[in-house]
Amino acid sequence: MPEPLTVSQLRDRHDQMMSKLPRPDVAEVRDLTVAGRPARLYRPHGAAEPQPALVFFHGGGWALGGIESYDPVVRSLTRACDAAYISVAYRRPPEHPHPAAVDDAVSAVEWIAGHAAELGLDPRRIGLVGESGGGQIALAAALRLAASGGPALALLLLAYPAVDLRAEPPSGGLPDDLRRMIEWYVGDCDRTAPEVSPLLAPDLSVLPPTVVATGEFDFLRGQIREFTARLRSAGVPTTLVDGDGLDHGFLAWGGLARRPAEAITLLGGHVRRALGCTAAADTAP
């Protein structure tokens, strides 16, 4: 049996795969430092300032991915949502297990809210966006911000988020590499803590309006649908995009296949309406 890949090898393989994706045109791309972390600001064409700001936390099983590798994904979302995006490079395991990434996410939101005017952003329309492991980070950050009286969030957009890390999903198990990445991320933390498994948070009513995406073949679909039901029971305005024929990770394939592209457009429409973006009336599905 071959030796498992090292974390460096896994990261290189993931970055090479993502580098092949098309990079849609946007009005501006600018590198920043946000609360001491590398970040990248994206602006859509034709949007008037101050723009809503969506703070993005990438996927990649917590341990993989970064600003550069997820550049194609954020460009697609910027165009679909007609809003500014700020992609933040959080600290990754195994070097930095939980709660380092959540700490970075909270600090980033606080910094962006405090510097919104100089960035041409609307501090009343700041949302969090997370994909897969990044969805877990965004959700944990939103819960902590609500508990601490931090900046009020206008929206959560969670693409196939991991919301229950107590055990692997019941859909046949996880790939070995992903199982290792969960172990790297959680470390010695209590897997039932709400910031690790947000599905178990006692009070979800503190969350802002939320758009959740999953897919027909997503291995996290069961826990995501359970989480969506809990949001609705808590009175949180919630939209579920449950895409036929889609699998985990579909945001990356929007530039290559019709169904993922349609799902991204649909998500963008929901975000535009929630944030009152300029072109919502004309282009939302």
Side-chain angles (χ1 to χ4, degrees):
M1 185 173 181
E3 287 292 320
L5 297 179
T6 67
V7 64
S8 294
Q9 291 170 328
L10 288 169
R11 286 171 177 166
D12 288 344
R13 184 179 68 178
H14 183 268
D15 289 349
Q16 290 171 12
M17 176 188 70
M18 298 292 285
S19 71
K20 298 178 172 63
L21 300 176
R23 299 177 186 247
D25 178 60
V26 295
E28 180 186 1
V29 178
R30 176 159 54 105
D31 288 333
L32 305 171
T33 300
V34 168
R37 300 298 305 163
R40 186 171 290 177
L41 171 67
Y42 300 78
R43 295 189 194 275
H45 288 286
E49 293 187 6
Q51 297 167 346
L54 294 167
V55 188
F56 178 82
F57 303 103
H58 64 78
W62 299 278
L64 314 182
I67 290 175
E68 182 60 30
S69 61
Y70 275 82
D71 179 81
V73 172
V74 184
R75 286 170 177 266
S76 294
L77 290 171
T78 299
R79 289 171 61 94
C81 297
D82 197 35
Y85 266 76
I86 300 178
S87 179
V88 177
Y90 55 83
R91 286 172 291 170
R92 302 175 298 180
E95 300 89 344
H96 302 284
H98 181 83
V102 180
D103 293 344
D104 291 344
V106 170
S107 296
V109 174
E110 293 173 338
W111 189 96
I112 291 165
H115 293 78
E118 64 195 71
L119 293 172
L121 305 175
D122 185 349
R124 300 165 300 174
R125 293 188 292 168
I126 294 176
L128 301 189
V129 181
E131 187 213 34
S132 191
Q136 184 269 344
I137 293 167
L139 186 49
L143 289 168
R144 190 189 297 180
L145 287 164
S148 65
L153 298 174
L155 181 73
L156 276 176
L157 171 58
L158 306 172
Y160 31 88
V163 296
D164 186 358
L165 299 187
R166 289 175 296 176
E168 65 184 55
S171 59
L174 298 176
D176 288 341
D177 290 338
L178 184 52
R179 186 178 295 107
R180 283 197 295 152
M181 287 187 276
I182 292 174
E183 292 171 354
W184 293 339
Y185 176 68
V186 174
D188 296 328
C189 293
D190 177 5
R191 292 193 180 211
T192 67
E195 285 193 10
V196 176
S197 294
L199 176 67
L200 307 180
D203 182 12
L204 296 178
S205 68
V206 299
L207 295 175
T210 301
V211 179
V212 185
T214 183
E216 181 180 0
F217 304 113
D218 185 358
F219 65 88
L220 296 178
R221 187 170 184 259
Q223 61 177 250
I224 290 169
R225 291 179 66 85
E226 183 180 355
F227 176 70
T228 302
R230 279 209 63 212
L231 283 173
R232 289 170 172 162
S233 295
V236 177
T238 303
T239 301
L240 175 64
V241 175
D242 195 352
D244 292 342
L246 296 179
D247 204 343
H248 195 84
F250 70 77
L251 287 187
W253 314 120
L256 301 173
R258 177 180 59 82
R259 283 186 175 177
E262 291 173 347
I264 292 170
T265 298
L266 181 61
L267 290 173
H270 290 307
V271 171
R272 290 178 184 215
R273 287 191 289 273
L275 296 179
C277 298
T278 54
D282 298 327
T283 61

